[in-house]
Amino acid sequence: MRRSRLVVSLALSAVTAATLVAADAAPDGPVPSVSLPVLRDPQAQQKLHRMTDPVQDWVESGAPAADGYAGTVIDASDQHADIFWKGEAPAEVRALLDANASPGFTVDVHQSPYSRAEMRAAIDRFTAAVAPEAWTSIGPQEDGAAIAISYSPANATRLTGGATTEQAYSRRAAEIAGMPVTASTGGRPAALSGRRHSDSAPYYAGAEVNTGKASFCSTAFSGWKGRTKVLLTAAHCGNGRYYNGTGSYIGDLYAIGDGLDVGMIGINGDGAGRFYDGAWSDSSGSSRHTYGAGRNNVGDLICLSGAQSGWKCDVEVKRVDVETTNDEGTRIKPVDVAESKGGDRRAIGAKGDSGGPALANPSGANGDMEARGVIVAGGSEVGCPAGSTAHSTTCYAQVLYVPMTPVVNQMGFSIS
C-alpha cells in the first residue's frame, strides 16, 4: 500500500524549510497536468527511434566510416526524422534505415558542414580558453552548421572587448572555437534542489526526498549498481542520509557520477520500477511502469515528474549533448534541454524537482514509459500557477536533465 503524501538547481534549500510548513498544510487546489499530445500514430516516436537509433548505435561503436555523423532531429507529428552527416553518408546509413523502416515513416539524410566530432573538438577549444563565467551553456547544433552557446551579457564584456550583443559574442566565440557559433543570451541554470510526499519501499520515481543540505528534492528511477539496490536522484541534493517527506529513512548516498550531477542512494528496501504520473497533490498515488532506458533526440516529446510540481507532459527536447554549470558551481556534461512544445513559456519544472525523472511515451497515452533522464536544473524563470506546486517556490520554463546513456554506461546503472 502506497502511503500518501530546476540553469538553477531544482533542489529546495534547507534554509527555507521552516517557511514552507504552512503552505504544505493548506495548499491550493490541484492543477491538472497537460495531456499527452495526440499523434496520428501513438507509437510514432517509438517507430522513428527504431529507425534512427541503429544509426546512432553504429556511430557510437567507433566505426571509422561513421565519423561524419552530426545529429538527428525527430518530428513525431509528421512521422519524419532528419539525420545530418558531413559529406556523403556511407551506404551503411541507408541500409540501417531501410532495414528498420516502418510504413508511412520517412528519414532524410542531409549533408552538413561539420561532424559531431568536429563540433565537440571546437567546444573543447572554447571551454579550455574561456573563463566559465563567460558562458552558461554550450553544445553542438544537430544540423552540423555551428555550435550553440548561451551567455549572460553582464559577464561577456571581457570576452568581447565591451560589446554584449549576440552578434559580437558570436564573432569572438567563433574565432576561439574555430567554427561558426550561434549565440543567445541566457542565465545560468539553477539547481532544482505521494503519495509522493511519504514514498516507501518499493520506491517509485518522482517522490520527495530530504537531506541535511536540501529540504526538498525528488527521486528518479530505481535499479541496481552491481548487486546494490539503488535509487537515482540529483547529486547536488547532498551527501549522507536521505529521508522521505515524513522523515522516514530511505538510505545513504552510495555513488556519484563524475561530472553528471547524478547520485545513487543505496536504498533500504526494494525499488518498484514505477513512477508517479499525477499532480503533486494527487492522493491516489497514480503511477505507471518504466520498461527500459532510451536515448534522446531533438524534437522528441517527453514528460517530467517532480515531487514539487507534479506531472508535466507535452514537453519537447530542444537541445542535446549540452555542457553547462549551474548556480551552485557544478559543471555538468552532458545535459539535454527541454521546453514546453510550442514555446509558450509554460512552467514545466520547479525548485524541488531536482532528481526527478524524464520519460518518453512511445506506447500510448496511458501506457508504460521509457526512462530518458534525471532532472538536475532549470532555466528561464516564470511564475508558478496558483496551486501548481507543493510549496511556495520558483518555477521554470526550461528543464535540464542528464540523459540515461551516461548514467548506464559511466555509472554502471541498470534500471529495475
mmCIF file of all heavy atoms in Angstrom, residues 1-5 194-209 219-220 222 231 244 246 250 267-277 282-288:
data_model
loop_
_atom_site.group_PDB
_atom_site.id
_atom_site.type_symbol
_atom_site.label_atom_id
_atom_site.label_comp_id
_atom_site.label_asym_id
_atom_site.label_seq_id
_atom_site.Cartn_x
_atom_site.Cartn_y
_atom_site.Cartn_z
ATOM 1 N N MET A 1 0.863 -1.181 0.000
ATOM 2 C CA MET A 1 0.000 0.000 0.000
ATOM 3 C C MET A 1 0.896 1.227 0.000
ATOM 4 O O MET A 1 1.804 1.328 0.803
ATOM 5 C CB MET A 1 -0.877 -0.013 1.241
ATOM 6 C CG MET A 1 -1.712 1.231 1.392
ATOM 7 S SD MET A 1 -3.020 1.276 0.225
ATOM 8 C CE MET A 1 -4.403 0.852 1.158
ATOM 9 N N ARG A 2 0.638 2.159 -0.964
ATOM 10 C CA ARG A 2 1.421 3.390 -1.013
ATOM 11 C C ARG A 2 0.807 4.376 -0.032
ATOM 12 O O ARG A 2 -0.392 4.605 -0.047
ATOM 13 C CB ARG A 2 1.389 4.011 -2.413
ATOM 14 C CG ARG A 2 1.731 3.034 -3.536
ATOM 15 C CD ARG A 2 3.108 2.460 -3.416
ATOM 16 N NE ARG A 2 4.125 3.472 -3.559
ATOM 17 C CZ ARG A 2 5.414 3.194 -3.509
ATOM 18 N NH1 ARG A 2 5.830 1.980 -3.291
ATOM 19 N NH2 ARG A 2 6.294 4.151 -3.656
ATOM 20 N N ARG A 3 1.638 4.985 0.800
ATOM 21 C CA ARG A 3 1.127 5.948 1.763
ATOM 22 C C ARG A 3 1.086 7.343 1.141
ATOM 23 O O ARG A 3 1.882 7.673 0.292
ATOM 24 C CB ARG A 3 2.014 5.971 3.004
ATOM 25 C CG ARG A 3 1.984 4.657 3.756
ATOM 26 C CD ARG A 3 2.610 4.836 5.116
ATOM 27 N NE ARG A 3 3.948 5.363 5.019
ATOM 28 C CZ ARG A 3 5.013 4.613 4.847
ATOM 29 N NH1 ARG A 3 4.887 3.310 4.720
ATOM 30 N NH2 ARG A 3 6.208 5.157 4.784
ATOM 31 N N SER A 4 0.130 8.201 1.592
ATOM 32 C CA SER A 4 0.050 9.499 0.997
ATOM 33 C C SER A 4 1.121 10.459 1.475
ATOM 34 O O SER A 4 1.747 10.226 2.476
ATOM 35 C CB SER A 4 -1.301 10.094 1.207
ATOM 36 O OG SER A 4 -1.451 10.665 2.410
ATOM 37 N N ARG A 5 0.528 11.141 0.984
ATOM 38 C CA ARG A 5 1.521 12.161 0.861
ATOM 39 C C ARG A 5 2.845 11.715 0.845
ATOM 40 O O ARG A 5 3.072 10.832 1.620
ATOM 41 C CB ARG A 5 1.714 13.170 1.699
ATOM 42 C CG ARG A 5 1.412 14.336 0.770
ATOM 43 C CD ARG A 5 1.808 15.486 1.048
ATOM 44 N NE ARG A 5 2.812 16.300 0.816
ATOM 45 C CZ ARG A 5 2.752 17.493 0.376
ATOM 46 N NH1 ARG A 5 1.792 17.880 -0.120
ATOM 47 N NH2 ARG A 5 3.644 18.285 0.360
ATOM 48 N N GLY A 194 3.594 10.637 -1.629
ATOM 49 C CA GLY A 194 2.908 10.762 -2.745
ATOM 50 C C GLY A 194 1.831 10.169 -2.697
ATOM 51 O O GLY A 194 1.282 9.953 -2.551
ATOM 52 N N ARG A 195 1.023 10.498 -2.990
ATOM 53 C CA ARG A 195 1.840 9.965 -2.160
ATOM 54 C C ARG A 195 3.228 10.123 -2.497
ATOM 55 O O ARG A 195 3.993 9.368 -1.942
ATOM 56 C CB ARG A 195 1.152 8.974 -2.352
ATOM 57 C CG ARG A 195 -0.361 9.278 -2.313
ATOM 58 C CD ARG A 195 -1.096 8.699 -1.418
ATOM 59 N NE ARG A 195 -1.402 7.427 -1.527
ATOM 60 C CZ ARG A 195 -2.396 6.784 -1.275
ATOM 61 N NH1 ARG A 195 -3.182 7.232 -0.956
ATOM 62 N NH2 ARG A 195 -2.642 5.676 -1.282
ATOM 63 N N ARG A 196 3.571 11.143 -3.253
ATOM 64 C CA ARG A 196 4.959 11.494 -3.480
ATOM 65 C C ARG A 196 5.623 11.907 -2.170
ATOM 66 O O ARG A 196 6.819 11.741 -1.985
ATOM 67 C CB ARG A 196 5.031 12.675 -4.453
ATOM 68 C CG ARG A 196 4.419 12.424 -5.820
ATOM 69 C CD ARG A 196 4.372 13.721 -6.577
ATOM 70 N NE ARG A 196 3.812 13.602 -7.908
ATOM 71 C CZ ARG A 196 4.526 13.379 -9.006
ATOM 72 N NH1 ARG A 196 5.817 13.205 -8.921
ATOM 73 N NH2 ARG A 196 3.941 13.319 -10.183
ATOM 74 N N HIS A 197 4.840 12.456 -1.238
ATOM 75 C CA HIS A 197 5.374 13.039 -0.027
ATOM 76 C C HIS A 197 5.921 11.994 0.944
ATOM 77 O O HIS A 197 6.920 12.239 1.629
ATOM 78 C CB HIS A 197 4.261 13.857 0.658
ATOM 79 C CG HIS A 197 4.654 14.477 1.954
ATOM 80 N ND1 HIS A 197 5.641 15.434 2.041
ATOM 81 C CD2 HIS A 197 4.191 14.292 3.215
ATOM 82 C CE1 HIS A 197 5.769 15.803 3.298
ATOM 83 N NE2 HIS A 197 4.899 15.139 4.036
ATOM 84 N N SER A 198 5.280 10.840 1.025
ATOM 85 C CA SER A 198 5.694 9.833 2.013
ATOM 86 C C SER A 198 5.976 8.496 1.342
ATOM 87 O O SER A 198 5.532 7.455 1.792
ATOM 88 C CB SER A 198 4.599 9.667 3.070
ATOM 89 O OG SER A 198 3.364 9.334 2.459
ATOM 90 N N ASP A 199 6.711 8.522 0.244
ATOM 91 C CA ASP A 199 7.018 7.301 -0.508
ATOM 92 C C ASP A 199 7.765 6.305 0.374
ATOM 93 O O ASP A 199 8.582 6.684 1.220
ATOM 94 C CB ASP A 199 7.884 7.657 -1.716
ATOM 95 C CG ASP A 199 7.962 6.515 -2.712
ATOM 96 O OD1 ASP A 199 6.916 5.903 -2.987
ATOM 97 O OD2 ASP A 199 9.066 6.246 -3.220
ATOM 98 N N SER A 200 7.446 5.045 0.181
ATOM 99 C CA SER A 200 8.102 3.973 0.943
ATOM 100 C C SER A 200 8.373 2.799 0.020
ATOM 101 O O SER A 200 7.878 2.744 -1.104
ATOM 102 C CB SER A 200 7.211 3.529 2.108
ATOM 103 O OG SER A 200 5.949 3.073 1.629
ATOM 104 N N ALA A 201 9.170 1.850 0.482
ATOM 105 C CA ALA A 201 9.504 0.696 -0.355
ATOM 106 C C ALA A 201 8.244 -0.102 -0.706
ATOM 107 O O ALA A 201 7.369 -0.271 0.150
ATOM 108 C CB ALA A 201 10.511 -0.191 0.377
ATOM 109 N N PRO A 202 8.153 -0.572 -1.928
ATOM 110 C CA PRO A 202 9.074 -0.383 -3.055
ATOM 111 C C PRO A 202 8.980 1.029 -3.634
ATOM 112 O O PRO A 202 7.886 1.511 -3.907
ATOM 113 C CB PRO A 202 8.618 -1.432 -4.072
ATOM 114 C CG PRO A 202 7.163 -1.629 -3.787
ATOM 115 C CD PRO A 202 7.001 -1.448 -2.310
ATOM 116 N N TYR A 203 10.146 1.673 -3.793
ATOM 117 C CA TYR A 203 10.200 3.092 -4.118
ATOM 118 C C TYR A 203 9.851 3.390 -5.575
ATOM 119 O O TYR A 203 10.258 2.683 -6.489
ATOM 120 C CB TYR A 203 11.599 3.630 -3.801
ATOM 121 C CG TYR A 203 11.934 3.523 -2.333
ATOM 122 C CD1 TYR A 203 12.804 2.540 -1.867
ATOM 123 C CD2 TYR A 203 11.355 4.390 -1.417
ATOM 124 C CE1 TYR A 203 13.100 2.432 -0.517
ATOM 125 C CE2 TYR A 203 11.643 4.287 -0.062
ATOM 126 C CZ TYR A 203 12.509 3.309 0.384
ATOM 127 O OH TYR A 203 12.789 3.193 1.716
ATOM 128 N N TYR A 204 9.086 4.495 -5.763
ATOM 129 C CA TYR A 204 8.700 4.984 -7.090
ATOM 130 C C TYR A 204 9.552 6.203 -7.447
ATOM 131 O O TYR A 204 10.055 6.910 -6.564
ATOM 132 C CB TYR A 204 7.234 5.422 -7.107
ATOM 133 C CG TYR A 204 6.209 4.338 -7.003
ATOM 134 C CD1 TYR A 204 6.539 3.018 -6.677
ATOM 135 C CD2 TYR A 204 4.869 4.631 -7.230
ATOM 136 C CE1 TYR A 204 5.570 2.040 -6.581
ATOM 137 C CE2 TYR A 204 3.882 3.667 -7.140
ATOM 138 C CZ TYR A 204 4.234 2.366 -6.809
ATOM 139 O OH TYR A 204 3.268 1.406 -6.712
ATOM 140 N N ALA A 205 9.658 6.491 -8.762
ATOM 141 C CA ALA A 205 10.308 7.715 -9.226
ATOM 142 C C ALA A 205 9.348 8.891 -9.083
ATOM 143 O O ALA A 205 8.128 8.739 -9.196
ATOM 144 C CB ALA A 205 10.731 7.563 -10.684
ATOM 145 N N GLY A 206 9.900 10.087 -8.813
ATOM 146 C CA GLY A 206 9.091 11.282 -8.694
ATOM 147 C C GLY A 206 8.611 11.565 -7.290
ATOM 148 O O GLY A 206 7.685 12.347 -7.105
ATOM 149 N N ALA A 207 9.210 10.936 -6.284
ATOM 150 C CA ALA A 207 8.804 11.133 -4.894
ATOM 151 C C ALA A 207 9.728 12.130 -4.192
ATOM 152 O O ALA A 207 10.851 12.382 -4.630
ATOM 153 C CB ALA A 207 8.817 9.801 -4.149
ATOM 154 N N GLU A 208 9.259 12.669 -3.071
ATOM 155 C CA GLU A 208 10.024 13.641 -2.306
ATOM 156 C C GLU A 208 11.099 12.971 -1.469
ATOM 157 O O GLU A 208 10.866 11.929 -0.845
ATOM 158 C CB GLU A 208 9.092 14.431 -1.382
ATOM 159 C CG GLU A 208 9.815 15.442 -0.498
ATOM 160 C CD GLU A 208 8.896 16.101 0.511
ATOM 161 O OE1 GLU A 208 7.665 15.923 0.411
ATOM 162 O OE2 GLU A 208 9.425 16.789 1.413
ATOM 163 N N VAL A 209 12.293 13.589 -1.455
ATOM 164 C CA VAL A 209 13.357 13.181 -0.530
ATOM 165 C C VAL A 209 13.980 14.427 0.084
ATOM 166 O O VAL A 209 13.962 15.506 -0.506
ATOM 167 C CB VAL A 209 14.454 12.334 -1.205
ATOM 168 C CG1 VAL A 209 13.958 10.931 -1.500
ATOM 169 C CG2 VAL A 209 14.993 12.999 -2.462
ATOM 170 N N THR A 219 13.077 11.951 -6.466
ATOM 171 C CA THR A 219 13.774 10.726 -6.849
ATOM 172 C C THR A 219 13.511 10.393 -8.312
ATOM 173 O O THR A 219 12.471 10.760 -8.868
ATOM 174 C CB THR A 219 13.312 9.531 -6.004
ATOM 175 O OG1 THR A 219 11.889 9.353 -6.175
ATOM 176 C CG2 THR A 219 13.625 9.756 -4.543
ATOM 177 N N ALA A 220 14.445 9.680 -8.906
ATOM 178 C CA ALA A 220 14.262 9.154 -10.259
ATOM 179 C C ALA A 220 14.167 7.630 -10.173
ATOM 180 O O ALA A 220 13.608 7.086 -9.232
ATOM 181 C CB ALA A 220 15.372 9.623 -11.187
ATOM 182 N N SER A 222 14.568 3.546 -9.963
ATOM 183 C CA SER A 222 15.202 2.541 -9.119
ATOM 184 C C SER A 222 15.882 1.501 -9.997
ATOM 185 O O SER A 222 15.513 1.304 -11.153
ATOM 186 C CB SER A 222 14.171 1.862 -8.213
ATOM 187 O OG SER A 222 13.173 1.205 -8.987
ATOM 188 N N LEU A 231 18.559 4.000 -5.909
ATOM 189 C CA LEU A 231 17.526 4.924 -6.372
ATOM 190 C C LEU A 231 18.247 6.183 -6.839
ATOM 191 O O LEU A 231 19.052 6.753 -6.095
ATOM 192 C CB LEU A 231 16.581 5.236 -5.220
ATOM 193 C CG LEU A 231 15.314 6.048 -5.470
ATOM 194 C CD1 LEU A 231 14.393 5.328 -6.455
ATOM 195 C CD2 LEU A 231 14.588 6.276 -4.145
ATOM 196 N N ASN A 244 12.334 10.374 3.337
ATOM 197 C CA ASN A 244 11.162 10.801 2.577
ATOM 198 C C ASN A 244 10.551 12.050 3.222
ATOM 199 O O ASN A 244 11.073 12.581 4.202
ATOM 200 C CB ASN A 244 10.143 9.662 2.423
ATOM 201 C CG ASN A 244 9.423 9.319 3.717
ATOM 202 O OD1 ASN A 244 9.567 9.993 4.744
ATOM 203 N ND2 ASN A 244 8.632 8.255 3.686
ATOM 204 N N THR A 246 8.118 12.558 5.137
ATOM 205 C CA THR A 246 7.666 12.476 6.522
ATOM 206 C C THR A 246 8.780 12.063 7.474
ATOM 207 O O THR A 246 8.522 11.752 8.634
ATOM 208 C CB THR A 246 6.489 11.494 6.650
ATOM 209 O OG1 THR A 246 6.887 10.210 6.148
ATOM 210 C CG2 THR A 246 5.285 11.988 5.869
ATOM 211 N N ILE A 250 15.393 6.440 4.014
ATOM 212 C CA ILE A 250 15.385 5.714 2.744
ATOM 213 C C ILE A 250 16.714 5.018 2.515
ATOM 214 O O ILE A 250 16.771 3.853 2.135
ATOM 215 C CB ILE A 250 15.087 6.677 1.571
ATOM 216 C CG1 ILE A 250 13.656 7.199 1.660
ATOM 217 C CG2 ILE A 250 15.320 5.995 0.228
ATOM 218 C CD1 ILE A 250 13.322 8.247 0.615
ATOM 219 N N ILE A 267 19.361 2.027 -1.286
ATOM 220 C CA ILE A 267 18.056 2.077 -0.635
ATOM 221 C C ILE A 267 17.848 0.983 0.409
ATOM 222 O O ILE A 267 18.331 -0.138 0.276
ATOM 223 C CB ILE A 267 16.901 2.055 -1.654
ATOM 224 C CG1 ILE A 267 17.023 0.866 -2.614
ATOM 225 C CG2 ILE A 267 16.856 3.355 -2.424
ATOM 226 C CD1 ILE A 267 15.872 0.770 -3.599
ATOM 227 N N ASN A 268 17.091 1.363 1.417
ATOM 228 C CA ASN A 268 16.703 0.475 2.490
ATOM 229 C C ASN A 268 15.370 -0.179 2.110
ATOM 230 O O ASN A 268 14.314 0.145 2.630
ATOM 231 C CB ASN A 268 16.563 1.283 3.792
ATOM 232 C CG ASN A 268 16.169 0.429 4.963
ATOM 233 O OD1 ASN A 268 16.490 -0.753 5.014
ATOM 234 N ND2 ASN A 268 15.456 1.029 5.909
ATOM 235 N N GLY A 269 15.418 -1.110 1.142
ATOM 236 C CA GLY A 269 14.207 -1.728 0.609
ATOM 237 C C GLY A 269 14.307 -1.867 -0.897
ATOM 238 O O GLY A 269 15.337 -1.566 -1.502
ATOM 239 N N ASP A 270 13.238 -2.291 -1.542
ATOM 240 C CA ASP A 270 13.235 -2.554 -2.977
ATOM 241 C C ASP A 270 12.745 -1.351 -3.775
ATOM 242 O O ASP A 270 12.020 -0.488 -3.261
ATOM 243 C CB ASP A 270 12.327 -3.745 -3.304
ATOM 244 C CG ASP A 270 12.876 -5.050 -2.752
ATOM 245 O OD1 ASP A 270 14.119 -5.183 -2.698
ATOM 246 O OD2 ASP A 270 12.069 -5.917 -2.373
ATOM 247 N N GLY A 271 13.103 -1.311 -5.059
ATOM 248 C CA GLY A 271 12.546 -0.359 -5.998
ATOM 249 C C GLY A 271 11.429 -1.025 -6.775
ATOM 250 O O GLY A 271 11.400 -2.251 -6.945
ATOM 251 N N ALA A 272 10.484 -0.204 -7.262
ATOM 252 C CA ALA A 272 9.290 -0.768 -7.892
ATOM 253 C C ALA A 272 9.322 -0.742 -9.411
ATOM 254 O O ALA A 272 8.493 -1.382 -10.040
ATOM 255 C CB ALA A 272 8.050 -0.001 -7.417
ATOM 256 N N GLY A 273 10.255 0.018 -10.028
ATOM 257 C CA GLY A 273 10.216 0.147 -11.477
ATOM 258 C C GLY A 273 8.986 0.911 -11.937
ATOM 259 O O GLY A 273 8.455 0.670 -13.018
ATOM 260 N N ARG A 274 8.515 1.854 -11.115
ATOM 261 C CA ARG A 274 7.331 2.652 -11.430
ATOM 262 C C ARG A 274 7.620 4.127 -11.141
ATOM 263 O O ARG A 274 8.595 4.454 -10.456
ATOM 264 C CB ARG A 274 6.119 2.199 -10.618
ATOM 265 C CG ARG A 274 5.726 0.751 -10.819
ATOM 266 C CD ARG A 274 4.418 0.418 -10.101
ATOM 267 N NE ARG A 274 3.276 1.079 -10.730
ATOM 268 C CZ ARG A 274 2.596 0.569 -11.749
ATOM 269 N NH1 ARG A 274 2.927 -0.599 -12.266
ATOM 270 N NH2 ARG A 274 1.560 1.221 -12.258
ATOM 271 N N PHE A 275 6.732 5.015 -11.628
ATOM 272 C CA PHE A 275 6.872 6.442 -11.379
ATOM 273 C C PHE A 275 5.493 7.055 -11.171
ATOM 274 O O PHE A 275 4.489 6.578 -11.699
ATOM 275 C CB PHE A 275 7.576 7.142 -12.546
ATOM 276 C CG PHE A 275 6.827 7.064 -13.851
ATOM 277 C CD1 PHE A 275 5.958 8.083 -14.228
ATOM 278 C CD2 PHE A 275 6.985 5.977 -14.691
ATOM 279 C CE1 PHE A 275 5.261 8.014 -15.419
ATOM 280 C CE2 PHE A 275 6.289 5.895 -15.889
ATOM 281 C CZ PHE A 275 5.415 6.918 -16.256
ATOM 282 N N TYR A 276 5.446 8.139 -10.379
ATOM 283 C CA TYR A 276 4.196 8.856 -10.149
ATOM 284 C C TYR A 276 3.836 9.686 -11.375
ATOM 285 O O TYR A 276 4.669 10.423 -11.915
ATOM 286 C CB TYR A 276 4.335 9.773 -8.931
ATOM 287 C CG TYR A 276 4.431 9.033 -7.619
ATOM 288 C CD1 TYR A 276 5.629 8.978 -6.911
ATOM 289 C CD2 TYR A 276 3.321 8.381 -7.090
ATOM 290 C CE1 TYR A 276 5.712 8.296 -5.698
ATOM 291 C CE2 TYR A 276 3.403 7.692 -5.876
ATOM 292 C CZ TYR A 276 4.595 7.654 -5.195
ATOM 293 O OH TYR A 276 4.681 6.981 -4.006
ATOM 294 N N ASP A 277 2.576 9.585 -11.824
ATOM 295 C CA ASP A 277 2.144 10.316 -13.013
ATOM 296 C C ASP A 277 0.942 11.212 -12.737
ATOM 297 O O ASP A 277 0.149 11.503 -13.633
ATOM 298 C CB ASP A 277 1.836 9.356 -14.164
ATOM 299 C CG ASP A 277 0.628 8.465 -13.903
ATOM 300 O OD1 ASP A 277 0.166 8.406 -12.745
ATOM 301 O OD2 ASP A 277 0.144 7.841 -14.867
ATOM 302 N N ASP A 282 -1.832 14.676 -5.820
ATOM 303 C CA ASP A 282 -2.666 13.503 -6.094
ATOM 304 C C ASP A 282 -2.700 12.571 -4.876
ATOM 305 O O ASP A 282 -1.666 12.131 -4.387
ATOM 306 C CB ASP A 282 -2.106 12.765 -7.309
ATOM 307 C CG ASP A 282 -2.825 11.463 -7.585
ATOM 308 O OD1 ASP A 282 -4.064 11.454 -7.455
ATOM 309 O OD2 ASP A 282 -2.156 10.474 -7.921
ATOM 310 N N SER A 283 -3.864 12.301 -4.389
ATOM 311 C CA SER A 283 -3.995 11.464 -3.194
ATOM 312 C C SER A 283 -4.162 9.989 -3.509
ATOM 313 O O SER A 283 -4.191 9.159 -2.607
ATOM 314 C CB SER A 283 -5.204 11.928 -2.357
ATOM 315 O OG SER A 283 -6.401 11.804 -3.114
ATOM 316 N N SER A 284 -4.260 9.644 -4.789
ATOM 317 C CA SER A 284 -4.483 8.244 -5.160
ATOM 318 C C SER A 284 -3.189 7.483 -5.380
ATOM 319 O O SER A 284 -3.190 6.257 -5.464
ATOM 320 C CB SER A 284 -5.325 8.169 -6.435
ATOM 321 O OG SER A 284 -4.585 8.665 -7.550
ATOM 322 N N GLY A 285 -2.043 8.213 -5.494
ATOM 323 C CA GLY A 285 -0.781 7.535 -5.779
ATOM 324 C C GLY A 285 -0.710 7.017 -7.200
ATOM 325 O O GLY A 285 -0.064 5.996 -7.466
ATOM 326 N N SER A 286 -1.378 7.685 -8.157
ATOM 327 C CA SER A 286 -1.390 7.256 -9.558
ATOM 328 C C SER A 286 0.026 7.061 -10.076
ATOM 329 O O SER A 286 0.902 7.908 -9.865
ATOM 330 C CB SER A 286 -2.117 8.308 -10.402
ATOM 331 O OG SER A 286 -2.072 7.966 -11.771
ATOM 332 N N SER A 287 0.257 5.948 -10.755
ATOM 333 C CA SER A 287 1.607 5.635 -11.213
ATOM 334 C C SER A 287 1.562 4.768 -12.466
ATOM 335 O O SER A 287 0.523 4.225 -12.831
ATOM 336 C CB SER A 287 2.391 4.908 -10.117
ATOM 337 O OG SER A 287 1.861 3.607 -9.902
ATOM 338 N N ARG A 288 2.714 4.665 -13.104
ATOM 339 C CA ARG A 288 2.883 3.779 -14.259
ATOM 340 C C ARG A 288 4.227 3.058 -14.159
ATOM 341 O O ARG A 288 5.089 3.412 -13.359
ATOM 342 C CB ARG A 288 2.878 4.568 -15.570
ATOM 343 C CG ARG A 288 1.577 5.226 -15.910
ATOM 344 C CD ARG A 288 1.618 5.698 -17.346
ATOM 345 N NE ARG A 288 1.006 7.003 -17.477
ATOM 346 C CZ ARG A 288 0.979 7.699 -18.606
ATOM 347 N NH1 ARG A 288 1.561 7.215 -19.679
ATOM 348 N NH2 ARG A 288 0.404 8.871 -18.655
#
